[in-house]
Amino acid sequence: MYDRQDNDLQADLSGGYTMPSRIRGLSGKLLWLTIAFVMLAEILIFAPSVATMRQRWLQDRLNTAAAAGVVIDGLQPLELPRAVQEDTLATTGTKAIVLRKDGTSRLLAVTEMPNEVDAAFDLADYSELGSIRDAFYTLIFGGDRLLRVYGPIGEDPDVIVEIVMDEGPLRKAMLGYARNILVVSLIISVITAFLMFLAINRVMIMPVRRLARSMQVFAENPEDPTRVLPNTLGNDEIAVAGRHLSRMQDQLQKTLRQQKTLADLGLAVSKINHDMRNILASAQLMSDRLVDVDDPLVKSFAPKLLRTIDRAVGYTSEVLSYGQTSEAEPRRRRFFLSELCQEVRDLLHLSPEAEIEFVDSVGVDIEVDADSEQLFRIIHNICRNAVQALASFTPDDPDHVRRITVSAQRTGSVVAIVVDDTGPGMPRKARENLFAAFRGSARSGGTGLGLAIARELVIAHGGTIALVEKPGPGTMFRVEIPDRPVALDDWRARA
């Protein structure tokens, strides 16, 4: 199953990065590291083990010589024949046996007494580190030395047996022991590594490879919904990572679809932009003639109609700026905010049948330093959303007044504009996606572009826009527009 999935993945990818094989990937590294670590542990165990083996080997030789020495000592005052001594020494693997008893030393058996020995070891007083050191010396450099080994017999410290022996048999026995330990260690290492490999490969490596395969396949075609990683069960870190990856892939697909929608929208607008500008230009030429009509009603509506058409012409030249994630640089000037709010009210066309009040609480003396057209779009977008929400709102209280209130206040160099309505309020979904295009709409069929565009225009002015929590029903937005910073030299010149 695992190999078939790998083969399917390789077949899906053409000319791209391919998953490494098990030996070259994490599985192989884990296998070799496990073998290495187990071997290292065996080496650490081997050092005291071989030292203990050497100690026991010498103790066995000493015990064998002590047994023979006790027998020989019991035959006093007889002296063993030379042949018997040689057989005894050959059996015990020694060159000389000496018995120390009652403060005297007696040579029990000897082939030929050497002039000197190369090393002497007291088995009754031997440290662990010294034993390990001597054991490794014997393994690496020993074999041709003459050793003197002594120790007490049984629990009587006054009876000591001393032997003289060659180091060759000891080294041979130690090499055989080390070889056996090496073979056993390799077998243990391979078995342990294999079991750990199977366990960790099942628990960790396979899920990680599954995540890597999902990312690799998803990167080939991010728009394909079938390439999203299915949700994984479990509470471990890899399962949590898998669920996060699945959500991220799903969110990325939604973002790509939104970007595609924006691109299609931009393409469609670019196709009709030329024809729309021509139509508006023609309407602008015809509306210019209305100024010459000697009719009071026409003269009162003609300037507003001209400004509306001029504004529409300006929108068509900048309609693609949102799709390009950039708005025109604000052309800022100081003007009275009340005049702009009156234009917003006139353009909303609030008929008496709509039963929606528009309250302009902006003082006539409040000036704002901003781009008048862009600020108009900001306030108009917010007020238009409020009108749409109030138009579809049926309050439970028959005396409820549907109202939009626009107010402003200057504090220092910042003008705060508040648009408050008594509508149904912002839905939860719209709150969660506030200022997000195509997701932040509060009504069915809406695009959510109004608030998204308003936010970009406010940010371009260096200001802020926020949804304000209010105790009563409705929705309140607060827009803060700061004045342009003034250079010190310019301020001094005006002062």
Side-chain angles (χ1 to χ4, degrees):
M1 178 68 180
Y2 186 74
D3 293 332
R4 185 171 69 252
Q5 291 177 349
D6 283 349
N7 294 333
D8 293 341
L9 174 64
Q10 303 297 338
D12 289 340
L13 302 177
S14 56
Y17 172 76
T18 57
M19 297 289 290
S21 63
R22 291 187 180 184
I23 298 301
R24 295 176 55 192
L26 290 176
S27 301
K29 294 178 181 178
L30 175 64
L31 179 62
W32 292 115
L33 284 175
T34 304
I35 293 176
F37 289 153
V38 173
M39 288 298 298
L40 178 60
E42 291 292 340
I43 290 174
L44 296 178
I45 297 174
F46 171 75
S49 177
V50 73
T52 302
M53 177 266 169
R54 175 179 178 275
Q55 191 84 352
R56 290 178 179 176
W57 194 91
L58 292 175
Q59 188 66 51
D60 290 342
R61 286 291 186 273
L62 194 63
N63 292 337
T64 302
V70 170
V71 174
I72 296 172
D73 184 58
L75 298 176
Q76 293 182 5
L78 298 177
E79 184 176 350
L80 291 180
R82 173 59 59 182
V84 177
Q85 293 186 24
E86 291 178 355
D87 292 339
T88 302
L89 295 176
T91 303
T92 57
T94 58
K95 290 183 174 298
I97 301 175
V98 178
L99 179 63
R100 298 180 186 177
K101 184 178 179 182
D102 299 331
T104 61
S105 298
R106 181 184 176 190
L107 185 60
L108 301 180
V110 62
T111 53
E112 55 177 308
M113 195 64 185
N115 296 328
E116 60 180 358
V117 294
D118 298 310
F121 303 103
D122 182 4
L123 298 185
D125 184 16
Y126 214 20
S127 65
E128 292 291 336
L129 292 179
S131 179
I132 294 174
R133 180 194 63 223
D134 294 336
F136 276 97
Y137 186 90
T138 300
L139 279 174
I140 300 173
F141 306 107
D144 55 354
R145 296 188 301 172
L146 194 62
L147 305 181
R148 174 172 165 259
V149 182
Y150 57 94
I153 298 176
E155 298 180 357
D156 189 356
D158 296 329
V159 181
I160 298 175
V161 174
E162 179 180 334
I163 60 175
V164 178
M165 56 175 289
D166 288 326
E167 192 179 29
L170 172 61
R171 185 171 185 271
K172 183 178 179 180
M174 292 177 64
L175 288 175
Y177 177 82
R179 181 174 60 252
N180 295 335
I181 289 293
L182 176 61
V183 173
V184 173
S185 299
L186 285 176
I187 295 175
I188 294 176
S189 299
V190 172
I191 294 176
T192 304
F194 182 71
L195 294 177
M196 291 184 63
F197 167 78
L198 292 179
I200 299 180
N201 189 70
R202 177 71 178 176
V203 175
M204 295 181 57
I205 305 301
M206 289 180 63
V208 169
R209 290 177 69 90
R210 179 171 175 265
L211 296 181
R213 285 198 306 269
S214 175
M215 290 186 285
Q216 189 174 9
V217 173
F218 183 82
E220 291 295 316
N221 187 6
E223 298 180 357
D224 186 0
T226 62
R227 302 199 176 197
V228 175
L229 177 69
N231 285 332
T232 55
L233 301 178
N235 297 320
D236 57 272
E237 289 80 356
I238 297 180
V240 173
R243 289 194 288 270
H244 281 295
L245 176 62
S246 178
R247 286 195 291 267
M248 183 185 67
Q249 290 175 340
D250 185 67
Q251 186 64 33
L252 179 58
Q253 285 191 343
K254 291 180 181 178
T255 303
L256 290 175
R257 287 195 294 268
Q258 293 171 2
Q259 294 296 330
K260 187 176 184 300
T261 301
L262 282 176
D264 294 341
L265 175 63
L267 180 61
V269 172
S270 65
K271 290 180 179 180
I272 68 173
N273 187 46
H274 181 267
D275 294 337
M276 181 65 71
R277 292 184 64 183
N278 291 337
I279 294 172
L280 290 175
S282 300
Q284 188 177 30
L285 291 175
M286 288 185 290
S287 61
D288 287 340
R289 299 180 182 179
L290 294 177
V291 180
D292 300 330
V293 177
D294 192 13
D295 187 325
L297 184 61
V298 173
K299 286 182 177 294
S300 64
F301 280 104
K304 298 179 181 179
L305 178 61
L306 288 175
R307 286 197 299 271
T308 302
I309 295 178
D310 290 340
R311 189 172 288 120
V313 172
Y315 289 171
T316 58
S317 63
E318 299 178 358
V319 70
L320 295 178
S321 60
Y322 180 79
Q324 299 170 352
T325 65
S326 63
E327 286 285 350
E329 188 71 20
R331 295 184 290 271
R332 306 180 70 153
R333 63 181 181 87
R334 297 185 71 88
F335 60 92
F336 290 104
L337 185 60
S338 59
E339 298 177 359
L340 186 143
C341 291
Q342 185 62 39
E343 290 186 30
V344 171
R345 177 176 185 174
D346 295 339
L347 196 61
L348 289 176
H349 302 297
L350 297 177
S351 61
E353 294 79 8
E355 299 181 352
I356 299 176
E357 296 182 7
F358 187 93
V359 179
D360 183 1
S361 299
V362 178
V364 295
D365 58 339
I366 294 182
E367 282 188 320
V368 61
D369 182 13
D371 186 315
S372 59
E373 290 298 326
Q374 292 188 1
L375 187 58
F376 175 87
R377 292 171 63 185
I378 295 170
I379 300 177
H380 180 260
N381 281 337
I382 299 176
C383 291
R384 184 181 57 191
N385 290 343
V387 170
Q388 293 172 349
L390 289 169
S392 60
F393 176 51
T394 303
D396 298 332
D397 185 4
D399 298 329
H400 181 81
V401 179
R402 292 185 288 183
R403 181 186 299 113
I404 300 174
T405 304
V406 180
S407 59
Q409 181 181 3
R410 171 175 283 276
T411 304
S413 61
V414 178
V415 175
I417 305 170
V418 177
V419 180
D420 186 11
D421 67 68
T422 59
M426 187 73 67
R428 178 180 177 181
K429 181 179 179 181
R431 288 173 178 267
E432 294 175 352
N433 300 283
L434 199 62
F435 307 120
F438 302 103
R439 289 187 295 168
S441 176
R443 61 185 178 89
S444 177
T447 62
L449 280 173
L451 289 178
I453 293 174
R455 178 177 180 272
E456 287 196 0
L457 295 176
V458 171
I459 292 177
H461 283 78
T464 59
I465 179 172
L467 178 65
V468 181
E469 297 291 339
K470 52 182 294 188
T475 304
M476 179 186 295
F477 280 94
R478 180 183 180 89
V479 179
E480 296 181 343
I481 303 295
D483 295 342
R484 284 171 294 178
V486 180
L488 183 60
D489 294 339
D490 295 341
W491 181 80
R492 289 175 176 174
R494 287 189 295 178

